[in-house]
Amino acid sequence: MFPDPDLFCEIFPTDVPQPVLTVSPSWTSPGDSVTLTCSVEPPSAGWRFFWYQAVPELSLYYTYELLAGSTTGTEQDSYILHGQTHTAGYVCRAGRGDPVFYTLYSDVKFVWSGGVNPAASLTVSPHRLQHFSTESLSLSCEGNSAEWRVMKADESGFMSSCSYWGQMTGSTCNTDTRASSGVYWCESATQSSNAANITTHNPEEAASSSVFLLLLVVGLVSGVLLIILLLLILRRYRKSKASSLSRSQRTNQSPATDHMINQGETQDEHYAALLHGDSCLYETIRGSGQREQGAVNPVCSSHSC
């Protein structure tokens, strides 16, 4: 059975605006100043703004405590926190008129600090900020408290405790396969720890990336080796072709060359024979009165040419 719509609207009026709180910067170093800004839609004059810190309640989520100087509200829609040293959540709302008409509270916005807080600390195991979605995480809380809870704010800003995506045992939260990217931190009734911005990845995606990278490297190496092999084959082919051409030229020139060599050798032999091997004979004819006494007068004598 559904409640009477008119009664529902009286208890939870739908025309009450909810302001939007922004923090800048959202991640700080110890000692930084942080600006809180509260906006009401649609904008109108006459609003006073009230500023709160979100105090962890382990049985609930948070209760709200007014910040200093915010008891009667501020005319300015911004509030500056000086010397922010640790992770903390903040809330704002606005009011106007007499009696005062208040808006709803804004959603809790956190200012994250990665610095070590001696009173409260978060330890992530395995000790890194990049994880796989199927990898189990152990988130341990340490500090001056007997009871802790581990919180997470996802990428959309939605906050949830370990009981929604893991199992809290003592001061340690062990995640299951539903763990996802987000900011994780520890809370007690009085303390908030340092925050860890953890990113989780699909295994399948990582495996695909690894296979692609491996194939890329293998392809590049294979391509280089293939080019080197082709260059060696081309070089060997050119050397073989040049050697064959040289032998062919020598073969074609051999008959003519041998003929010229033989002809030259024959001419040299003839010339040598004329110089050393043969002699020509000619006759010297003498008269009968030219005989010498006591000697035989030959008809002719031989002389070398």
Side-chain angles (χ1 to χ4, degrees):
M1 180 176 180
F2 295 97
D4 184 359
D6 295 333
L7 179 60
F8 183 85
C9 290
E10 290 180 6
I11 300 175
F12 302 102
T14 58
D15 59 344
V16 177
Q18 183 181 30
V20 175
L21 176 65
T22 58
V23 297
S24 180
S26 57
W27 282 90
T28 65
S29 298
D32 286 351
S33 294
V34 177
T35 300
L36 309 179
T37 303
C38 193
S39 59
V40 179
E41 296 295 339
S44 60
W47 291 110
R48 296 185 68 83
F49 298 92
F50 300 83
W51 311 93
Y52 306 83
Q53 181 172 350
V55 179
E57 287 286 345
L58 299 184
S59 58
L60 301 171
Y61 272 129
Y62 303 97
T63 58
Y64 307 139
E65 292 182 356
L66 280 167
L67 295 175
S70 181
T71 304
T72 59
T74 63
E75 294 182 356
Q76 295 77 25
D77 63 353
S78 61
Y79 185 95
I80 297 177
L81 300 167
H82 297 285
Q84 184 74 17
T85 59
H86 59 277
T87 296
Y90 298 95
V91 171
C92 75
R93 71 170 175 170
R96 65 181 177 183
D98 187 15
V100 180
F101 168 78
Y102 291 102
T103 67
L104 301 175
Y105 290 98
S106 70
D107 291 332
V108 179
K109 293 293 182 179
F110 271 82
V111 177
W112 312 112
S113 174
V116 176
N117 182 1
S121 63
L122 169 68
T123 302
V124 181
S125 181
H127 186 63
R128 60 179 185 270
L129 298 181
Q130 301 288 330
H131 298 271
F132 296 116
S133 59
T134 56
E135 186 176 25
S136 177
L137 299 181
S138 177
L139 306 161
S140 299
C141 304
E142 296 180 1
N144 300 329
S145 179
E147 188 175 2
W148 296 95
R149 70 181 176 193
V150 176
M151 298 291 294
K152 178 186 71 174
D154 63 19
E155 296 173 344
S156 66
F158 178 76
M159 293 185 298
S160 58
S161 64
C162 173
S163 59
Y164 286 90
W165 36 265
Q167 184 175 0
M168 195 77 188
T169 304
S171 60
T172 299
C173 174
N174 295 306
T175 68
D176 55 22
T177 56
R178 291 176 293 171
S180 59
S181 299
V183 180
Y184 293 76
W185 73 99
C186 295
E187 290 181 343
S188 70
T190 57
Q191 299 289 337
S192 294
S193 74
N194 58 297
N197 191 5
I198 295 176
T199 302
T200 59
H201 300 282
N202 190 308
E204 295 177 0
E205 291 178 3
S208 298
S209 300
S210 300
V211 170
F212 174 77
L213 182 61
L214 178 62
L215 292 177
L216 180 62
V217 172
V218 171
L220 291 175
V221 173
S222 300
V224 172
L225 293 177
L226 180 60
I227 292 174
I228 294 175
L229 180 61
L230 290 175
L231 291 176
L232 291 175
I233 293 174
L234 180 60
R235 181 180 179 184
R236 185 171 182 179
Y237 171 76
R238 288 180 175 177
K239 291 179 65 176
S240 176
K241 186 175 180 181
S243 177
S244 299
L245 181 61
S246 176
R247 288 196 301 267
S248 176
Q249 290 176 346
R250 287 198 300 268
T251 302
N252 293 335
Q253 293 176 354
S254 293
T257 303
D258 293 344
H259 174 72
M260 294 177 63
I261 292 175
N262 293 336
Q263 185 177 6
E265 290 178 351
T266 303
Q267 291 176 351
D268 290 344
E269 290 175 357
H270 291 168
Y271 181 69
L274 290 175
L275 289 178
H276 304 289
D278 299 333
S279 60
C280 60
L281 299 177
Y282 64 92
E283 294 180 349
T284 301
I285 302 174
R286 298 180 179 178
S288 59
Q290 295 177 339
R291 294 184 179 182
E292 294 180 1
Q293 186 176 1
V296 178
N297 183 27
V299 176
C300 65
S301 63
S302 299
H303 300 277
S304 299
C305 297

